[in-house]
Amino acid sequence: MKRKILITVSAACLSIWTGCGDDTVGPGITPPQPSFVIVYPPYRTATASYSRYTRFAWQPSGENAPVYSRYLWSEVTDTLGVYNPAFDFVKDLNENPRRYDDMWSPWLRIEGGGPGALGTVLGDNETLATGRYHFIAVQGKDHSDNVTTVFDRTTSVRHFLVKPVSGPYLRVYEPLLGGFRYIGNTMNPSYKKLPAGVELRFRWSADASQYSGELEGYRYGWDIPDISAWNAPFVAGETETPVTAFNSGTHTLFIQAADRAGYRSLARIIIKIVDWPMERDLMWVDDFNSVNSPIPNYSWPPEYEHDAFWLSVCSRAPGFDPAVDVYECSRDFSAPGMERAGNYRNIIWTFSRGNDIWSTLVRFTPESLIGEATSSETNLISVFLRKGGHLWTLGRSDFNGGLAAVTAAGTAAFPLDIECEIAGARADCDGDRSGRESMPYRDYCVTMLDKVVGNIRQDEYMPYRSVSHFDVMKYAQRDDDDPVTASHPGLPARLDLRAEVTAEGSFFCTDSSSTPGGFTYVEVYDPSYWMEKKMKIPQSCFHPVYRMRAGSEYSALDRCAVAIWITEFENIAAGTADGAAVAAPSVHFGFPLWFFRKSSVDSIADVIFAKWGIGR
């Protein structure tokens, strides 16, 4: 091993070690040694746990950049060559480097060198013993043959245990069925129920970084009779199925991910096709949560008042039976089962904000975040629409309630471009555009979401936004310019808040300076001020029913849509045996109607029910 010879120089050159030429230093001054730092796997603890196939990567560190690199690896053995996990191999490497001379790999030049100069994989050509401690050390050399002589566990050395692992962390996502997680080959299958004919497209990703493994690829197949005889190859880029639909029976999707050490994880998703008779007229899904005692300031309806309000509305449909046709989400902490929902042609779904089942169903996993998929709920709402069912959805929609539940709670900034910003706010539309597959965009035909109260953007081109007596909703006005709305003249021309909701002492009092001065539980759809800024036009299936009149005519939200028709599936007639199927649009309100005059709500219900074929 070559050593650098120190040369005496003048006192003027003592301030820096290379100050008087490339190969001259002051008396007694040792040049910085060339060194590396291992950057992958990242350092976390003095002893890590890796798989028997692990990639390591390093990069130059310090003032004297190395020109060459080499590495050594070994089980932790003592001076007698006996495996000894307690042996301080780093101390021995620093004090007795010659003991390791024959263990180093060849020197490789970093610049223009071949593969391996800045990394290697242990386990591709080596056998690492599972359950034993190992180490890898990296050494650098500069132009003058100076080499790394000091090794450290946090930089140039990794001490690790080769542990047995179950397999990569496999995540599967389907926009209607939600997310699934699997590790290893022994996890129980996931079960889902669907009516016939619903189109599905599964996507997946896997991650072996938790044990610093390297992913090999994926394979998948439907209804494989003998998994032990499955010999399909693993393909790195095979991460989704084509669109698939089933008309009967039970079918199993198998997806397997493998890493380069041979560890595998298997997903099994079993889909059972269930009957969907749609024989009953109307179900009310009560996904609303409140206290069961009076709320004097009318900031929120108590449970008993909300129940009475909607039972009265639903009873305008002949045959509605509260003992049979009401589903309380809070009772079972879940959505109605697939079979129960399939008994109905029409559903009213009233939701709360944040602690409702609605939010878990609507939430969408963007393409770029599929590795973080967490939802396991089937989106019953989207399934119901695809089978020709009619929906009337509404509820408290401030902050992240309403259709904004499509994003993870607390992450969205408004106005939100669903198509382009489903994975986070962006200045352009060149990133993840999978938001087009989400329920608000694809099913409800909404391109942009906004709020009266929420996490409002602070962009340079945002107009003035203020809630108090400005952006609040004073009342809602029917949009007679929309052709679908214009064809329903029975809808009230104007929706006003109940007198007690805006009276002195109420939370939404319009005359008090200490209150919002108008209604705030409102979600806004395709606001023109931001659609124009983003150079977007509404989708052809976007049809407003009502537009809000704001506290000020100068508000950016004045005359923006707050209630919409859902027309994407209006030509599908529910498949019923008695011939009572009706093809009609559904409807969504971006605010709860309990706060508004009951006579107006009854009129809306009469129009909607008549359109659905269940009116009086």
Side-chain angles (χ1 to χ4, degrees), residues 223-304:
D223 299 331
I224 298 173
D226 183 2
I227 194 69
S228 64
W230 193 14
N231 58 6
F234 289 91
V235 181
E238 193 164 72
T239 57
E240 66 178 53
T241 67
V243 174
T244 305
F246 298 104
N247 291 320
S248 62
T250 299
H251 304 271
T252 303
L253 173 63
F254 296 86
I255 304 168
Q256 195 167 46
D259 70 11
R260 293 184 178 179
Y263 297 116
R264 299 177 180 183
S265 291
L266 177 67
R268 290 177 293 166
I269 302 172
I270 300 175
I271 299 173
K272 180 181 180 181
I273 304 303
V274 299
D275 291 336
W276 192 268
M278 304 181 85
E279 295 171 342
R280 295 192 65 81
D281 279 335
L282 179 65
M283 176 169 67
W284 172 35
V285 178
D286 183 4
D287 194 10
F288 169 88
N289 297 283
S290 183
V291 297
N292 208 23
S293 57
I295 301 176
N297 67 353
Y298 288 91
S299 60
W300 193 230
E303 187 78 30
Y304 64 91

Coordinates of all heavy atoms in Angstrom, one line a residue, residues 223-304:
D223 N -58.2 -16.4 -12.0 CA -58.7 -17.8 -11.8 C -57.7 -18.9 -12.1 O -58.0 -19.8 -12.9 CB -60.0 -18.0 -12.7 CG -61.1 -17.1 -12.3 OD1 -61.2 -16.6 -11.1 OD2 -61.9 -16.7 -13.2
I224 N -56.5 -18.7 -11.6 CA -55.5 -19.7 -11.8 C -55.8 -21.0 -11.0 O -56.0 -20.9 -9.8 CB -54.1 -19.2 -11.3 CG1 -53.8 -17.9 -12.2 CG2 -53.0 -20.2 -11.4 CD1 -52.5 -17.2 -11.7
P225 N -55.9 -22.1 -11.6 CA -56.4 -23.3 -10.9 C -55.4 -23.9 -9.9 O -55.8 -24.4 -8.9 CB -56.7 -24.3 -12.0 CG -55.8 -23.9 -13.2 CD -55.8 -22.4 -13.1
D226 N -54.1 -23.8 -10.2 CA -53.1 -24.3 -9.3 C -51.9 -23.3 -9.2 O -51.1 -23.2 -10.1 CB -52.6 -25.7 -9.8 CG -51.6 -26.3 -8.9 OD1 -51.3 -25.8 -7.8 OD2 -51.0 -27.4 -9.3
I227 N -51.9 -22.6 -8.1 CA -50.9 -21.5 -7.9 C -49.5 -22.1 -7.8 O -48.6 -21.5 -8.2 CB -51.3 -20.7 -6.7 CG1 -50.5 -19.4 -6.7 CG2 -51.1 -21.5 -5.4 CD1 -50.9 -18.4 -7.7
S228 N -49.4 -23.3 -7.3 CA -48.1 -23.9 -7.2 C -47.5 -24.2 -8.6 O -46.2 -24.4 -8.7 CB -48.1 -25.2 -6.4 OG -48.9 -26.2 -7.0
A229 N -48.3 -24.4 -9.6 CA -47.8 -24.7 -11.0 C -47.7 -23.4 -11.8 O -47.5 -23.5 -13.0 CB -48.7 -25.7 -11.6
W230 N -47.9 -22.2 -11.2 CA -47.9 -21.0 -12.0 C -46.5 -20.7 -12.4 O -45.6 -20.5 -11.6 CB -48.4 -19.9 -11.1 CG -48.8 -18.6 -11.8 CD1 -48.9 -18.4 -13.1 CD2 -49.0 -17.3 -11.1 NE1 -49.2 -17.0 -13.3 CE2 -49.3 -16.4 -12.1 CE3 -49.1 -16.9 -9.8 CZ2 -49.7 -15.1 -11.8 CZ3 -49.4 -15.6 -9.5 CH2 -49.7 -14.7 -10.5
N231 N -46.2 -20.7 -13.7 CA -44.9 -20.4 -14.2 C -44.7 -19.2 -15.1 O -43.8 -19.1 -15.8 CB -44.4 -21.7 -14.9 CG -45.3 -22.0 -16.1 OD1 -46.2 -21.3 -16.4 ND2 -45.0 -23.1 -16.8
A232 N -45.7 -18.3 -15.0 CA -45.6 -17.1 -15.8 C -44.4 -16.2 -15.3 O -44.0 -16.2 -14.1 CB -46.9 -16.2 -15.6
P233 N -43.7 -15.6 -16.3 CA -42.5 -14.8 -15.9 C -42.9 -13.5 -15.1 O -44.0 -13.0 -15.3 CB -41.8 -14.5 -17.2 CG -43.0 -14.5 -18.2 CD -43.9 -15.5 -17.7
F234 N -41.9 -13.0 -14.4 CA -42.1 -11.7 -13.7 C -41.6 -10.6 -14.7 O -40.5 -10.7 -15.2 CB -41.3 -11.7 -12.4 CG -41.9 -12.5 -11.3 CD1 -41.5 -13.8 -11.2 CD2 -42.9 -12.0 -10.5 CE1 -42.0 -14.7 -10.2 CE2 -43.4 -12.8 -9.5 CZ -43.0 -14.1 -9.3
V235 N -42.4 -9.6 -14.8 CA -42.2 -8.5 -15.8 C -42.1 -7.2 -15.0 O -43.1 -6.9 -14.2 CB -43.2 -8.4 -16.9 CG1 -42.9 -7.3 -17.8 CG2 -43.3 -9.8 -17.6
A236 N -41.1 -6.4 -15.2 CA -40.9 -5.2 -14.4 C -42.0 -4.2 -14.6 O -42.5 -3.5 -13.7 CB -39.5 -4.6 -14.7
G237 N -42.5 -4.0 -15.8 CA -43.4 -2.9 -16.1 C -44.9 -3.4 -16.1 O -45.7 -2.6 -16.5
E238 N -45.2 -4.6 -15.7 CA -46.5 -5.1 -15.8 C -47.2 -4.7 -14.5 O -47.2 -5.4 -13.5 CB -46.5 -6.6 -15.9 CG -47.9 -7.2 -16.3 CD -47.8 -8.6 -16.9 OE1 -47.5 -9.5 -16.1 OE2 -48.0 -8.8 -18.1
T239 N -47.9 -3.5 -14.5 CA -48.5 -3.0 -13.3 C -50.0 -2.7 -13.4 O -50.5 -2.0 -12.5 CB -47.8 -1.7 -12.9 OG1 -47.9 -0.8 -14.0 CG2 -46.3 -1.9 -12.6
E240 N -50.7 -3.3 -14.4 CA -52.2 -3.1 -14.4 C -52.8 -4.1 -15.3 O -52.2 -4.7 -16.1 CB -52.5 -1.7 -14.9 CG -52.2 -1.4 -16.3 CD -52.6 0.0 -16.7 OE1 -52.2 1.0 -16.0 OE2 -53.3 0.1 -17.8
T241 N -54.1 -4.3 -15.0 CA -54.9 -5.2 -15.9 C -55.6 -4.4 -16.9 O -55.9 -3.2 -16.7 CB -55.9 -6.0 -15.0 OG1 -56.9 -5.1 -14.5 CG2 -55.3 -6.7 -13.9
P242 N -56.0 -5.0 -18.0 CA -56.9 -4.4 -18.9 C -58.3 -4.3 -18.2 O -58.6 -4.9 -17.2 CB -57.0 -5.3 -20.1 CG -56.6 -6.6 -19.6 CD -55.6 -6.4 -18.5
V243 N -59.2 -3.5 -18.8 CA -60.6 -3.4 -18.3 C -61.2 -4.7 -18.3 O -61.2 -5.4 -19.3 CB -61.4 -2.3 -19.1 CG1 -62.8 -2.3 -18.6 CG2 -60.7 -1.0 -18.9
T244 N -61.8 -5.1 -17.2 CA -62.4 -6.5 -17.0 C -63.8 -6.3 -16.4 O -64.0 -5.5 -15.5 CB -61.5 -7.4 -16.2 OG1 -60.2 -7.4 -16.7 CG2 -62.1 -8.8 -16.1
A245 N -64.7 -7.1 -16.8 CA -66.1 -7.2 -16.2 C -66.6 -8.6 -16.2 O -66.3 -9.4 -17.1 CB -67.0 -6.3 -17.0
F246 N -67.4 -9.0 -15.2 CA -67.9 -10.3 -15.1 C -69.5 -10.2 -15.0 O -70.0 -9.3 -14.3 CB -67.4 -11.0 -13.9 CG -65.9 -11.2 -13.9 CD1 -65.1 -10.4 -13.2 CD2 -65.3 -12.1 -14.7 CE1 -63.7 -10.5 -13.2 CE2 -63.9 -12.3 -14.8 CZ -63.1 -11.5 -14.0
N247 N -70.1 -11.2 -15.6 CA -71.6 -11.2 -15.5 C -72.2 -12.2 -14.5 O -73.3 -12.2 -14.2 CB -72.1 -11.6 -16.9 CG -71.9 -10.4 -17.9 OD1 -72.1 -9.3 -17.5 ND2 -71.5 -10.8 -19.1
S248 N -71.3 -13.1 -14.0 CA -71.8 -14.1 -13.1 C -70.6 -14.8 -12.4 O -69.4 -14.6 -12.8 CB -72.7 -15.2 -13.7 OG -71.9 -15.9 -14.7
G249 N -70.9 -15.6 -11.4 CA -69.9 -16.4 -10.8 C -69.0 -15.7 -9.8 O -69.2 -14.5 -9.4
T250 N -67.9 -16.4 -9.4 CA -66.9 -15.8 -8.4 C -65.5 -16.0 -9.1 O -65.2 -17.0 -9.7 CB -66.9 -16.6 -7.1 OG1 -68.2 -16.5 -6.5 CG2 -65.8 -16.1 -6.2
H251 N -64.8 -14.9 -9.1 CA -63.5 -14.9 -9.8 C -62.4 -14.3 -8.9 O -62.7 -13.4 -8.1 CB -63.7 -14.0 -11.1 CG -64.8 -14.4 -12.0 ND1 -64.6 -15.4 -13.0 CD2 -66.1 -14.1 -12.0 CE1 -65.7 -15.6 -13.6 NE2 -66.7 -14.8 -13.0
T252 N -61.2 -14.9 -9.1 CA -60.1 -14.5 -8.2 C -59.0 -13.9 -9.1 O -58.5 -14.5 -10.1 CB -59.5 -15.7 -7.5 OG1 -60.6 -16.3 -6.7 CG2 -58.4 -15.3 -6.5
L253 N -58.5 -12.7 -8.7 CA -57.3 -12.1 -9.3 C -56.1 -12.4 -8.5 O -56.1 -12.1 -7.3 CB -57.5 -10.6 -9.4 CG -56.3 -9.8 -9.9 CD1 -56.0 -10.2 -11.4 CD2 -56.6 -8.3 -9.8
F254 N -55.1 -13.0 -9.1 CA -53.8 -13.2 -8.5 C -52.8 -12.2 -9.0 O -52.6 -12.1 -10.2 CB -53.3 -14.7 -8.8 CG -54.2 -15.7 -8.2 CD1 -55.3 -16.2 -9.0 CD2 -53.9 -16.3 -7.0 CE1 -56.1 -17.2 -8.5 CE2 -54.7 -17.3 -6.5 CZ -55.8 -17.8 -7.2
I255 N -52.1 -11.6 -8.1 CA -51.0 -10.7 -8.5 C -49.8 -11.0 -7.6 O -50.0 -11.1 -6.3 CB -51.4 -9.2 -8.2 CG1 -52.6 -8.8 -9.0 CG2 -50.2 -8.3 -8.7 CD1 -53.2 -7.5 -8.6
Q256 N -48.6 -11.2 -8.2 CA -47.5 -11.5 -7.4 C -46.3 -10.6 -7.7 O -46.1 -10.3 -8.9 CB -47.1 -13.0 -7.6 CG -46.1 -13.5 -6.6 CD -46.0 -15.0 -6.7 OE1 -45.8 -15.6 -7.7 NE2 -46.0 -15.7 -5.5
A257 N -45.6 -10.1 -6.7 CA -44.4 -9.3 -6.8 C -43.3 -10.1 -6.3 O -43.4 -10.8 -5.3 CB -44.6 -8.0 -6.1
A258 N -42.1 -10.0 -7.0 CA -40.9 -10.7 -6.5 C -39.7 -9.7 -6.5 O -39.6 -8.8 -7.3 CB -40.6 -11.8 -7.5
D259 N -38.9 -9.9 -5.5 CA -37.6 -9.2 -5.5 C -36.5 -10.1 -6.0 O -36.7 -11.2 -6.3 CB -37.3 -8.6 -4.1 CG -36.9 -9.7 -3.1 OD1 -36.7 -10.9 -3.5 OD2 -36.9 -9.4 -1.9
R260 N -35.3 -9.5 -6.1 CA -34.2 -10.2 -6.7 C -33.6 -11.3 -5.8 O -32.7 -12.0 -6.3 CB -33.1 -9.2 -7.2 CG -33.7 -8.3 -8.4 CD -32.7 -7.4 -8.9 NE -33.2 -6.6 -10.0 CZ -32.6 -5.7 -10.7 NH1 -31.3 -5.4 -10.4 NH2 -33.1 -5.0 -11.7
A261 N -34.0 -11.2 -4.6 CA -33.5 -12.3 -3.7 C -34.4 -13.5 -3.7 O -34.1 -14.5 -3.1 CB -33.4 -11.8 -2.3
G262 N -35.5 -13.4 -4.5 CA -36.5 -14.5 -4.6 C -37.6 -14.4 -3.6 O -38.5 -15.3 -3.6
Y263 N -37.7 -13.4 -2.8 CA -38.8 -13.2 -1.9 C -40.0 -12.7 -2.7 O -39.9 -11.9 -3.6 CB -38.5 -12.2 -0.8 CG -37.4 -12.6 0.1 CD1 -36.2 -11.9 0.2 CD2 -37.5 -13.7 0.9 CE1 -35.2 -12.3 1.0 CE2 -36.5 -14.1 1.8 CZ -35.4 -13.4 1.8 OH -34.4 -13.8 2.7
R264 N -41.2 -13.2 -2.4 CA -42.4 -12.9 -3.1 C -43.6 -12.5 -2.2 O -43.7 -13.0 -1.1 CB -42.8 -14.1 -4.0 CG -41.8 -14.5 -5.0 CD -42.1 -15.7 -5.8 NE -41.1 -16.1 -6.8 CZ -41.2 -17.1 -7.7 NH1 -42.3 -17.8 -7.7 NH2 -40.2 -17.3 -8.5
S265 N -44.5 -11.7 -2.8 CA -45.7 -11.4 -2.1 C -46.9 -11.6 -3.1 O -46.8 -11.3 -4.3 CB -45.7 -9.9 -1.7 OG -44.8 -9.7 -0.6
L266 N -47.9 -12.2 -2.6 CA -49.1 -12.6 -3.4 C -50.3 -11.9 -3.0 O -50.7 -11.9 -1.8 CB -49.2 -14.1 -3.3 CG -50.4 -14.7 -4.1 CD1 -50.2 -14.6 -5.6 CD2 -50.6 -16.2 -3.7
A267 N -51.0 -11.3 -3.9 CA -52.3 -10.7 -3.7 C -53.4 -11.6 -4.3 O -53.2 -12.1 -5.4 CB -52.4 -9.3 -4.3
R268 N -54.4 -11.9 -3.5 CA -55.6 -12.6 -4.0 C -56.8 -11.8 -3.7 O -57.2 -11.6 -2.6 CB -55.7 -14.0 -3.3 CG -54.5 -15.0 -3.7 CD -54.6 -16.3 -3.0 NE -54.4 -16.1 -1.5 CZ -54.6 -17.0 -0.6 NH1 -55.2 -18.1 -0.9 NH2 -54.3 -16.7 0.7
I269 N -57.5 -11.4 -4.8 CA -58.7 -10.6 -4.6 C -59.9 -11.4 -5.2 O -59.9 -11.7 -6.5 CB -58.5 -9.2 -5.3 CG1 -57.3 -8.5 -4.7 CG2 -59.8 -8.4 -5.2 CD1 -57.0 -7.2 -5.4
I270 N -60.8 -11.8 -4.4 CA -61.9 -12.6 -4.8 C -63.2 -11.7 -5.0 O -63.6 -11.0 -4.1 CB -62.2 -13.7 -3.8 CG1 -61.0 -14.6 -3.6 CG2 -63.5 -14.5 -4.2 CD1 -61.2 -15.6 -2.5
I271 N -63.7 -11.8 -6.2 CA -64.9 -11.0 -6.6 C -66.1 -11.9 -6.8 O -66.0 -12.7 -7.7 CB -64.6 -10.1 -7.8 CG1 -63.4 -9.2 -7.5 CG2 -65.8 -9.3 -8.2 CD1 -63.0 -8.4 -8.7
K272 N -67.1 -11.7 -6.0 CA -68.4 -12.5 -6.2 C -69.4 -11.6 -6.8 O -69.7 -10.5 -6.3 CB -68.8 -13.0 -4.8 CG -70.1 -13.8 -4.9 CD -70.6 -14.2 -3.5 CE -71.8 -15.1 -3.6 NZ -72.3 -15.5 -2.2
I273 N -70.0 -12.1 -7.9 CA -71.1 -11.3 -8.5 C -72.4 -11.6 -7.8 O -72.8 -12.8 -7.7 CB -71.2 -11.7 -10.0 CG1 -69.8 -11.5 -10.7 CG2 -72.3 -10.9 -10.7 CD1 -69.3 -10.1 -10.6
V274 N -73.1 -10.6 -7.4 CA -74.3 -10.8 -6.6 C -75.5 -10.3 -7.3 O -75.4 -9.5 -8.3 CB -74.2 -10.0 -5.2 CG1 -73.0 -10.6 -4.4 CG2 -74.0 -8.5 -5.4
D275 N -76.7 -10.7 -6.9 CA -78.0 -10.2 -7.5 C -78.2 -8.8 -7.2 O -77.8 -8.2 -6.2 CB -79.1 -11.0 -6.9 CG -79.1 -12.5 -7.4 OD1 -78.5 -12.8 -8.4 OD2 -79.7 -13.3 -6.7
W276 N -78.8 -8.1 -8.2 CA -79.0 -6.7 -8.1 C -80.4 -6.4 -8.6 O -80.6 -5.8 -9.7 CB -77.9 -5.9 -8.9 CG -77.8 -4.5 -8.7 CD1 -78.4 -3.5 -9.4 CD2 -77.0 -3.8 -7.8 NE1 -78.1 -2.2 -9.0 CE2 -77.2 -2.4 -8.0 CE3 -76.1 -4.2 -6.8 CZ2 -76.5 -1.4 -7.2 CZ3 -75.5 -3.2 -6.0 CH2 -75.7 -1.9 -6.2
P277 N -81.5 -6.8 -7.9 CA -82.8 -6.7 -8.4 C -83.4 -5.3 -8.6 O -84.3 -5.1 -9.4 CB -83.6 -7.6 -7.4 CG -82.9 -7.5 -6.2 CD -81.4 -7.4 -6.6
M278 N -83.0 -4.4 -7.7 CA -83.5 -3.0 -7.7 C -85.1 -2.9 -7.7 O -85.7 -2.3 -8.6 CB -83.0 -2.2 -8.9 CG -81.4 -2.2 -9.0 SD -80.7 -1.3 -10.4 CE -80.7 0.3 -9.7
E279 N -85.7 -3.6 -6.8 CA -87.1 -3.7 -6.7 C -87.8 -2.7 -5.9 O -89.0 -2.3 -6.2 CB -87.5 -5.1 -6.2 CG -87.1 -6.3 -7.1 CD -87.3 -7.6 -6.4 OE1 -87.4 -7.7 -5.2 OE2 -87.3 -8.6 -7.1
R280 N -87.1 -2.1 -4.9 CA -87.8 -1.1 -4.1 C -87.5 0.3 -4.6 O -86.4 0.5 -5.3 CB -87.3 -1.2 -2.6 CG -87.8 -2.5 -2.0 CD -87.6 -2.5 -0.5 NE -88.4 -1.5 0.2 CZ -89.7 -1.6 0.5 NH1 -90.3 -2.8 0.2 NH2 -90.4 -0.7 1.1
D281 N -88.3 1.3 -4.3 CA -88.2 2.6 -4.9 C -87.1 3.5 -4.3 O -86.3 4.0 -5.0 CB -89.6 3.4 -4.7 CG -90.6 2.9 -5.7 OD1 -90.1 2.5 -6.8 OD2 -91.8 3.1 -5.5
L282 N -87.1 3.6 -2.9 CA -86.3 4.7 -2.3 C -85.6 4.2 -1.0 O -86.3 3.7 -0.1 CB -87.1 5.9 -2.1 CG -86.3 7.1 -1.5 CD1 -85.2 7.7 -2.4 CD2 -87.3 8.2 -1.1
M283 N -84.3 4.4 -0.9 CA -83.6 4.3 0.4 C -83.0 5.6 0.8 O -82.4 6.2 0.0 CB -82.6 3.2 0.3 CG -81.8 3.0 1.6 SD -80.7 1.5 1.7 CE -79.5 1.9 0.4
W284 N -83.1 5.9 2.1 CA -82.3 7.0 2.6 C -81.2 6.5 3.4 O -81.3 5.8 4.4 CB -83.2 7.9 3.5 CG -82.5 9.0 4.3 CD1 -81.4 9.7 3.8 CD2 -82.7 9.4 5.6 NE1 -81.0 10.6 4.8 CE2 -81.8 10.4 5.9 CE3 -83.7 9.1 6.6 CZ2 -81.7 11.1 7.1 CZ3 -83.6 9.7 7.8 CH2 -82.7 10.8 8.1
V285 N -79.9 6.9 3.0 CA -78.7 6.6 3.7 C -78.4 7.7 4.6 O -78.0 8.8 4.1 CB -77.6 6.3 2.7 CG1 -76.3 6.0 3.5 CG2 -77.9 5.1 1.8
D286 N -78.6 7.5 5.9 CA -78.4 8.6 6.9 C -76.9 8.5 7.3 O -76.6 7.8 8.2 CB -79.3 8.4 8.0 CG -79.2 9.5 9.1 OD1 -78.4 10.5 8.8 OD2 -79.9 9.5 10.1
D287 N -76.1 9.3 6.7 CA -74.6 9.3 7.0 C -74.3 10.6 7.7 O -73.2 11.2 7.5 CB -73.9 9.2 5.6 CG -72.4 8.9 5.8 OD1 -72.0 8.6 7.0 OD2 -71.6 9.0 4.9
F288 N -75.2 11.1 8.5 CA -75.1 12.3 9.2 C -74.9 12.1 10.7 O -75.5 11.1 11.3 CB -76.4 13.1 9.0 CG -76.6 14.3 9.9 CD1 -76.1 15.5 9.5 CD2 -77.3 14.2 11.1 CE1 -76.2 16.6 10.4 CE2 -77.4 15.3 12.0 CZ -76.9 16.5 11.6
N289 N -74.1 12.8 11.3 CA -73.8 12.6 12.8 C -74.0 14.0 13.5 O -73.5 15.0 13.1 CB -72.3 12.2 13.0 CG -72.1 10.8 12.3 OD1 -72.5 9.8 12.9 ND2 -71.4 10.8 11.2
S290 N -74.7 13.9 14.6 CA -74.9 15.1 15.4 C -75.3 14.7 16.8 O -75.5 13.5 17.1 CB -76.0 16.0 14.8 OG -76.1 17.2 15.6
V291 N -75.4 15.7 17.7 CA -75.9 15.4 19.1 C -77.4 15.3 19.0 O -78.1 15.8 18.1 CB -75.5 16.5 20.0 CG1 -73.9 16.6 20.1 CG2 -76.0 17.9 19.6
N292 N -78.0 14.7 20.0 CA -79.4 14.5 20.1 C -80.1 15.4 21.1 O -81.0 15.1 21.8 CB -79.8 13.0 20.4 CG -81.1 12.6 19.8 OD1 -81.6 13.2 18.8 ND2 -81.7 11.6 20.4
S293 N -79.6 16.6 21.1 CA -80.1 17.7 22.0 C -80.2 19.0 21.2 O -79.5 19.2 20.2 CB -79.3 17.8 23.2 OG -77.9 18.1 22.9
P294 N -81.0 20.0 21.7 CA -81.2 21.2 20.9 C -79.8 22.0 20.7 O -79.0 21.9 21.6 CB -82.1 22.0 21.8 CG -82.9 21.0 22.6 CD -81.9 19.9 22.9
I295 N -79.7 22.6 19.6 CA -78.6 23.5 19.3 C -79.2 24.9 19.0 O -79.6 25.2 17.9 CB -77.8 23.0 18.1 CG1 -77.3 21.6 18.3 CG2 -76.6 23.9 17.7 CD1 -76.6 20.9 17.1
P296 N -79.2 25.7 20.1 CA -80.0 27.0 20.0 C -79.5 28.0 18.9 O -80.4 28.7 18.4 CB -79.7 27.6 21.4 CG -79.4 26.4 22.3 CD -78.6 25.5 21.4
N297 N -78.2 28.0 18.5 CA -77.8 29.0 17.5 C -77.9 28.5 16.1 O -77.5 29.2 15.2 CB -76.4 29.4 17.8 CG -75.4 28.3 17.6 OD1 -75.7 27.1 17.3 ND2 -74.1 28.6 17.7
Y298 N -78.5 27.3 15.9 CA -78.8 26.8 14.5 C -77.5 26.7 13.7 O -77.5 26.8 12.5 CB -79.8 27.7 13.8 CG -81.2 27.5 14.4 CD1 -81.6 28.3 15.4 CD2 -82.0 26.5 13.9 CE1 -82.9 28.2 15.9 CE2 -83.3 26.4 14.4 CZ -83.7 27.2 15.4 OH -85.0 27.1 15.9
S299 N -76.4 26.4 14.4 CA -75.2 26.2 13.6 C -75.1 24.8 13.0 O -74.3 24.6 12.0 CB -73.9 26.4 14.5 OG -74.0 25.5 15.6
W300 N -75.9 23.9 13.5 CA -75.9 22.5 13.0 C -77.2 21.9 13.5 O -77.6 22.1 14.6 CB -74.7 21.8 13.5 CG -74.4 20.5 12.9 CD1 -74.1 19.3 13.5 CD2 -74.3 20.2 11.5 NE1 -73.8 18.3 12.6 CE2 -74.0 18.8 11.3 CE3 -74.5 21.0 10.3 CZ2 -73.8 18.2 10.1 CZ3 -74.3 20.4 9.1 CH2 -74.0 19.0 9.0
P301 N -77.9 21.0 12.7 CA -79.1 20.4 13.2 C -78.9 19.3 14.2 O -77.9 18.5 14.0 CB -79.7 19.9 11.9 CG -78.6 19.7 11.0 CD -77.6 20.7 11.3
P302 N -79.6 19.3 15.2 CA -79.6 18.1 16.1 C -80.1 16.9 15.4 O -80.8 16.9 14.4 CB -80.5 18.5 17.3 CG -81.4 19.5 16.7 CD -80.7 20.2 15.7
E303 N -79.7 15.7 15.9 CA -80.0 14.5 15.2 C -81.5 14.3 15.0 O -81.9 13.9 13.9 CB -79.4 13.3 16.0 CG -79.5 11.9 15.4 CD -78.5 11.7 14.3 OE1 -77.4 12.3 14.4 OE2 -78.8 11.0 13.4
Y304 N -82.3 14.5 16.0 CA -83.7 14.3 15.9 C -84.4 15.2 14.9 O -85.3 14.8 14.2 CB -84.4 14.4 17.3 CG -84.3 15.7 17.9 CD1 -85.4 16.6 17.7 CD2 -83.3 16.1 18.7 CE1 -85.3 17.9 18.3 CE2 -83.2 17.4 19.3 CZ -84.3 18.3 19.1 OH -84.2 19.5 19.7

